[in-house]
């Protein structure tokens, strides 16, 4: 059997309606709207009400993508959820999504690659579809970072929000769909970005909670430097693998962690500013969800046209980084 071309045929996204503005954060920690906007590009973030599980953000995004694809949940063969904030350690968040959708014929599993998770999930599931292991796939990037955010730490609490984005993948006409992929990891940088408590190394206890180990810890400056190098590397390698150059790229959807990271990369790669989709001002960093949320926004704003070369690029904890190149 000749491998078929596989692509995204529909997208959807969901952000909870609750908004926390920079002015709201000024009342909690010693910060300012001006500092947050100029250092990060963030104006506000969507936050879930306490007690919301990540699958509850993933479900509306998934339903929208399925509806746009004209696909019933029973027609799904596999559901992959990329998240670093699962509903619980066991079972996978994907199983909650599978049950919630009524996707009675689907396999379901999670991928843990932090903010690069959606890219990893797309890149891993595409070859499985190509060879016919699955026909219809639902790939979701979803994170609920608020419960893992230390609101006494001004260096991290201004950066994160909650949300989900979803994509339906299946066979597309020859020449369209995913053209190349690239994924890397460097665990020597694991301590730069971590939620140390609550796993097997530091099981949840009164001590881990007192030490704030169940919150995100980040060496912001180090992550910043890594991110610029990683994004540049991922763009160059994924385009080279697709036999394309930066001049061919119509739309870039980067992970939205800090506007200054995106601007630093823009200076290094030759892709005009107007081709980049940026919405960090509205959503902040929603980890695995930033790329599919921005992809959904680009689709809704009709910024992507049939035949366009779309480049997704991300980086995150792990450390991990990667990219996907597709013809829409
Ligand atoms: N408000 C006011 N001042 C602040 C705040 C704040 N919210 N946070 C830090 N500062 C202060 C610091 O205390 C420091 O003060 P000092 O000079 O008196 O010591 C000063 O601002 C500068 O701090 P830096 O950490 O050097 O600030 P920087 O310009 O590096 O910005 C930031 C920090 C925004 C975290 C930046 O380093 C960054 O974005 N890094 C990358 C983060 C990232 O991408 N994370 C997500 C990865 S994806 C994932 O997997 C989740």
């Amino acid at each position: 059997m000749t491998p078929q071309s596989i692509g995204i045929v529909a997208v959807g996204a969901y952000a909870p309606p609750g908004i926390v503005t920079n002015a709201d954060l000024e009342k909690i920690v010693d910060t300012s709207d001006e500092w947050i906007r100029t250092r990060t590009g963030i104006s506000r973030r969507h936050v879930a009400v306490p007690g919301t599980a990540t699958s509850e953000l993933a479900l509306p995004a998934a339903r929208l993508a399925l509806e746009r694809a004209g696909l019933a949940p029973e027609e799904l063969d596999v559901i992959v959820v990329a998240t670093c904030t699962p509903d619980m350690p066991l079972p996978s968040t994907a199983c909650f999504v599978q049950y919630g959708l009524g996707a009675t014929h689907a396999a379901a599993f999670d991928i843990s690659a932090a903010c690069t998770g959606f890219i990893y999930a797309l890149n891993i599931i595409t070859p499985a579809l190509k060879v016919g292991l699955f026909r219809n796939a639902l790939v979701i990037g979803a994170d609920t970072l608020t419960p893992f955010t230390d609101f006494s730490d001004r260096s991290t609490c201004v950066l994160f929000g909650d949300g989900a984005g979803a994509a339906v993948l299946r066979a597309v006409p020859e020449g369209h769909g995913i053209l190349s992929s690239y994924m890397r990891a460097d665990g020597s940088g694991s301590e730069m970005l971590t939620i140390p408590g609550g796993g097997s190394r530091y099981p949840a206890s009164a001590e881990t909670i007192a030490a704030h180990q169940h919150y995100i810890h980040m060496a912001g400056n180090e992550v910043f430097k890594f991110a610029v190098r990683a994004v540049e590397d991922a763009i160059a390698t994924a385009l080279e693998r697709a036999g394309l150059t930066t001049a061919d790229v119509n739309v870039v959807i980067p992970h939205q962690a800090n506007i200054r990271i995106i601007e630093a990369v823009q200076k290094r790669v030759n892709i005009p500013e107007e081709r980049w989709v940026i919405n960090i001002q509205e959503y902040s960093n929603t980890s695995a969800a930033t790329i599919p949320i921005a992809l959904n926004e680009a689709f809704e704003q009709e910024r992507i046209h049939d035949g366009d070369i779309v480049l997704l690029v991300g980086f995150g904890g792990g450390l991990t980084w990667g990219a996907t190149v597709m013809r829409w």
Side-chain angles (χ1 to χ4, degrees), residues 189-213:
S190 60
E191 288 186 2
M192 283 186 206
L193 189 45
T194 175
I195 301 171
S200 54
R201 188 175 299 278
Y202 305 112
S205 66
E207 288 75 28
T208 60
I209 289 171
H212 290 207
Q213 287 185 311

Side-chain angles (χ1 to χ4, degrees), residues 112-116 120 184-194 223 226 315-321:
S112 172
C115 305
T116 323
Y120 264 58
R184 289 287 302 279
D186 178 6
S188 72
S190 60
E191 288 186 2
M192 283 186 206
L193 189 45
T194 175
V223 175
F226 147 74
F315 62 89
L319 302 166
T320 55
W321 66 105

Side-chain angles (χ1 to χ4, degrees), residues 29-32 35-36 39-40 114-116 145 154-156 158-160 193 218-221 223-224 227 255 257-258 260-261 285 287 315-317:
V29 282
D30 180 15
T31 190
S32 67
W35 192 96
I36 301 170
R39 296 294 183 115
T40 72
C115 305
T116 323
L145 293 159
R154 70 174 180 174
S155 70
T156 54
V158 302
L159 302 175
F160 301 108
L193 189 45
M218 185 175 69
N221 273 311
V223 175
F224 193 109
H255 172 47
N258 186 320
R260 290 187 298 134
I261 293 174
N285 181 352
S287 194
F315 62 89

Side-chain angles (χ1 to χ4, degrees), residues 252-327:
V252 188
I253 304 195
H255 172 47
Q256 322 269 323
N258 186 320
I259 191 68
R260 290 187 298 134
I261 293 174
I262 296 172
E263 286 168 353
V265 175
Q266 283 174 335
K267 287 200 188 93
R268 289 156 185 251
V269 302
N270 188 23
I271 305 175
E273 236 175 80
E274 62 276 10
R275 298 194 189 165
W276 297 68
V277 178
I278 294 167
N279 61 9
I280 188 171
Q281 63 284 356
E282 173 68 23
Y283 299 102
S284 75
N285 181 352
T286 55
S287 194
T290 72
I291 290 173
I293 288 176
L295 179 62
N296 178 70
E297 191 168 297
F299 166 78
E300 288 183 346
Q301 294 175 351
E302 299 181 6
R303 287 183 65 178
I304 309 181
H305 306 102
D306 196 35
D308 275 357
I309 295 296
V310 180
L311 167 65
L312 314 182
V313 60
F315 62 89
L319 302 166
T320 55
W321 66 105
T324 308
V325 178
M326 62 184 96
R327 187 183 300 280

